[in-house]
Amino acid sequence: MQWPSWSAAGTTTPSAAPRDPLAANYNSRRAAGAARLSRVSQDPGVGSWATGTPRLRPFAAGPRKGSAAPASGEPGAVSAMLRALAGAAAPALRVLQARGSGSRAGVPAHVVDLRSDTVTRPGPAMRRAMAEAVVGDDDYGEDPTVRELQEKAAQLLGVEQTLFVPTNTMANLICVMAHCRRRGSQLLLGQECHLHVYEQGGTAQIAGVHSQPLPDLPHGTLDLAELERALARSRGNRYHPVCELVCLEDSHSSSGGRVLPLNYLRQVRHLVRTHGARIHLDGARLMNAAVAQRVSPARIVEHCDSVSLCFSKGLGAPAGAVLGGSSDFVEEAWRLRKALGGGMRQAGVLAAAALVGLADAEQVLRQDHDNARRFARGLQELASPFCSVDPRAVETNMVMVTVDGLSPVELCQRLQTVSAEEEARVGQAVRVLLFPWAERTVRAVWHRDVSACDTELALRKWGFVLQQLGH
């Protein structure tokens, strides 16, 4: 499996020391923020792809036509303004993060955010690529950076064409609408899959498609016998809606990031095509599945008729997704994107971020998976009666923790609260952010903003909380 590579270059320029005594506590954060923003006008580029040179251009810091020019003697007025904004915002941001944490005044707790892989923030290379992206009107097909992303994504996924859209939710909805052209068509999918539970029922309220959920097995798969019965029922009785589509999800979020086996995908494809239906793959975290199985994404997608891929999860971009399929399918998808309000103009700014996210995907996602497994093993070694986890079930970047003796809500509250006792015993204030997932479950998600060190700190905090519960 070959993955693109990216090498970033740039220098940082620390901001001046703040005069405000309160802001002095955050000098290092101010410097980092100012350095990232100042690179927008100072750095000549971000590197090159192994398979080609990104279409980037230097950022022009001069005034726009019709706007006031910078004051005399201030050639770096734009950079100075950005640095000033970053410096002014940083203290307030740090205060807000510390508020309610229980940490000492002026010493905010270290935050390990395991709520989702959607909380990542663009790094310096991604911000530079966004600022310097060559753009055009994508609705006219004239944005070169979007075209580059779509071409690279089509190669990666092994499909004829892809289409860039704002979100993976929109990508899924467009694919359902393109496959199910008859209102009242039937869609078969797992009852806990993201498309069915977390996308506002768009297939019904917008597409007019009837969803029939099937029970999910622990691995995120569907029972093949049950699937075959549902497919046969829709074709054998004119009172039943006609099944046009089966939707799968890989990796499967509600099952804790489990990966669909390739042999299972082959069996589903045979069943579905035998009954004249098609398969759409919700591949929001497809790259995680490919890395976990050590195969190219195309090896997974080859069993499906269409696919979606999200850039704002493990790949770290702020927004964007692609859908992929045949050329005719993507042509119809373009029309549906327009109807749904998803046509964008200078979208190369977002496409550039996605290109950077793809560049180091294999390395970053493998680290995320390793950190998740390390956490699961460490939590199991704590042998607490209040929490249990099965490390064998950790296949990608998610860990499902079963909670006993207290509610998941209470556990999450304890993990994000810092006490003086913890700081005295552990030596560092740590807040671990999590969402309660189910009645007895908490889900933790690893991403590029959580390092191996952060993982150890989260384990240490978890051990402290469990020890306090036992007293």
Side-chain angles (χ1 to χ4, degrees):
M1 173 172 52
Q2 293 185 350
W3 302 76
S5 62
W6 188 280
S7 59
T11 58
T12 61
T13 303
S15 59
R19 297 179 180 178
D20 186 348
L22 177 63
N25 293 321
Y26 311 102
N27 185 53
S28 62
R29 294 289 184 180
R30 285 168 55 102
R36 285 195 296 268
L37 289 170
S38 67
R39 288 196 197 99
V40 168
S41 60
Q42 295 174 5
D43 195 75
V46 295
S48 62
W49 284 85
T51 55
T53 301
R55 301 181 178 94
L56 305 175
R57 66 184 178 193
F59 173 69
R64 295 182 61 181
K65 184 177 181 181
S67 64
S72 176
E74 297 182 20
V78 173
S79 287
M81 177 189 68
L82 293 173
R83 286 195 297 270
L85 288 172
L93 178 61
R94 301 306 299 168
V95 169
L96 286 173
Q97 288 178 337
R99 185 174 297 167
S101 68
S103 58
R104 299 190 306 275
V107 184
H110 182 84
V111 177
V112 182
D113 196 339
L114 301 176
R115 291 173 298 170
S116 174
D117 47 9
T118 62
V119 302
T120 56
R121 291 161 292 188
M126 188 174 288
R127 290 175 185 269
R128 288 197 300 274
M130 294 174 71
E132 298 167 4
V134 178
V135 298
D137 194 318
D138 180 51
D139 211 47
Y140 295 161
E142 296 175 355
D143 192 301
T145 310
V146 171
R147 291 204 304 266
E148 180 181 1
L149 173 63
Q150 291 176 163
E151 290 166 5
K152 289 184 181 296
Q155 280 187 333
L156 188 69
L157 300 174
V159 296
E160 291 181 1
Q161 288 187 17
T162 66
L163 182 68
F164 188 53
V165 297
T167 69
N168 205 72
T169 294
M170 181 178 286
N172 286 336
L173 178 58
I174 289 173
C175 288
V176 171
M177 294 175 71
H179 286 301
C180 302
R181 306 301 300 278
R182 176 191 346 211
R183 290 188 66 83
S185 297
Q186 186 181 66
L187 162 67
L188 300 177
L189 74 178
Q191 64 185 14
E192 296 298 332
C193 75
H194 195 281
L195 197 156
H196 182 62
V197 179
Y198 298 106
E199 299 184 12
Q200 287 295 307
T203 56
Q205 66 168 317
I206 299 174
V209 173
H210 169 66
S211 296
Q212 179 178 338
L214 303 176
D216 292 288
L217 299 179
H219 286 74
T221 57
L222 301 175
D223 181 88
L224 294 178
E226 181 66 25
L227 176 62
E228 184 172 21
R229 281 193 293 270
L231 287 165
R233 186 183 307 121
S234 72
R235 295 288 175 179
N237 191 319
R238 63 183 180 181
Y239 288 97
H240 293 164
V242 176
C243 179
E244 301 279 3
L245 188 64
V246 173
C247 285
L248 306 175
E249 181 181 343
D250 196 13
S251 63
H252 197 280
S253 174
S254 292
S255 297
R258 302 300 288 267
V259 175
L260 302 184
L262 295 178
N263 185 53
Y264 166 79
L265 291 173
R266 282 190 287 268
Q267 291 175 294
V268 172
R269 179 183 62 180
H270 174 73
L271 280 178
V272 170
R273 291 185 178 175
T274 298
H275 291 86
R278 291 174 293 276
I279 301 173
H280 169 65
L281 180 66
D282 177 358
R285 295 182 175 90
L286 174 64
M287 302 302 287
N288 292 90
V291 169
Q293 293 179 306
R294 298 184 179 274
V295 299
S296 69
R299 284 284 308 281
I300 300 172
V301 178
E302 68 184 15
H303 304 288
C304 308
D305 298 282
S306 63
V307 62
S308 63
L309 171 65
C310 185
F311 298 119
S312 62
K313 292 185 171 66
L315 300 183
V322 290
L323 61 88
S326 68
S327 297
D328 290 342
F329 179 84
V330 172
E331 177 65 26
E332 178 62 22
W334 189 96
R335 293 176 176 273
L336 293 168
R337 182 186 71 173
K338 188 65 176 176
L340 294 173
M344 296 179 284
R345 301 300 178 175
Q346 289 68 40
V349 174
L350 295 175
L355 285 168
V356 176
L358 282 173
D360 60 359
E362 183 179 22
Q363 176 186 357
V364 170
L365 296 180
R366 183 160 287 125
Q367 290 173 349
D368 294 342
H369 299 179
D370 290 343
N371 288 334
R373 284 191 288 268
R374 169 69 190 97
F375 177 84
R377 289 193 300 267
L379 192 58
Q380 184 185 48
E381 290 168 3
L382 292 177
S384 170
F386 299 101
C387 291
S388 61
V389 63
D390 181 6
R392 296 169 300 177
V394 180
E395 296 179 350
T396 56
N397 63 325
M398 298 183 186
V399 178
M400 291 295 201
V401 182
T402 302
V403 182
D404 292 307
L406 74 164
S407 71
V409 172
E410 181 184 350
L411 177 61
C412 291
Q413 290 172 343
R414 286 176 175 267
L415 287 168
Q416 66 178 322
T417 301
V418 175
S419 65
E421 180 184 359
E422 178 196 350
E423 292 190 65
R425 292 179 54 183
V426 179
Q428 185 171 5
V430 178
R431 299 180 64 210
V432 178
L433 305 184
L434 292 162
F435 280 143
W437 187 252
E439 185 178 356
R440 295 183 54 212
T441 307
V442 168
R443 189 190 72 169
V445 186
W446 269 257
H447 49 80
R448 61 180 60 212
D449 285 355
V450 178
S451 65
C453 179
D454 292 327
T455 302
E456 293 301 322
L457 289 174
L459 262 177
R460 188 186 305 173
K461 177 58 178 274
W462 210 294
F464 174 81
V465 168
L466 295 178
Q467 188 178 44
Q468 292 300 102
L469 287 169
H471 289 166

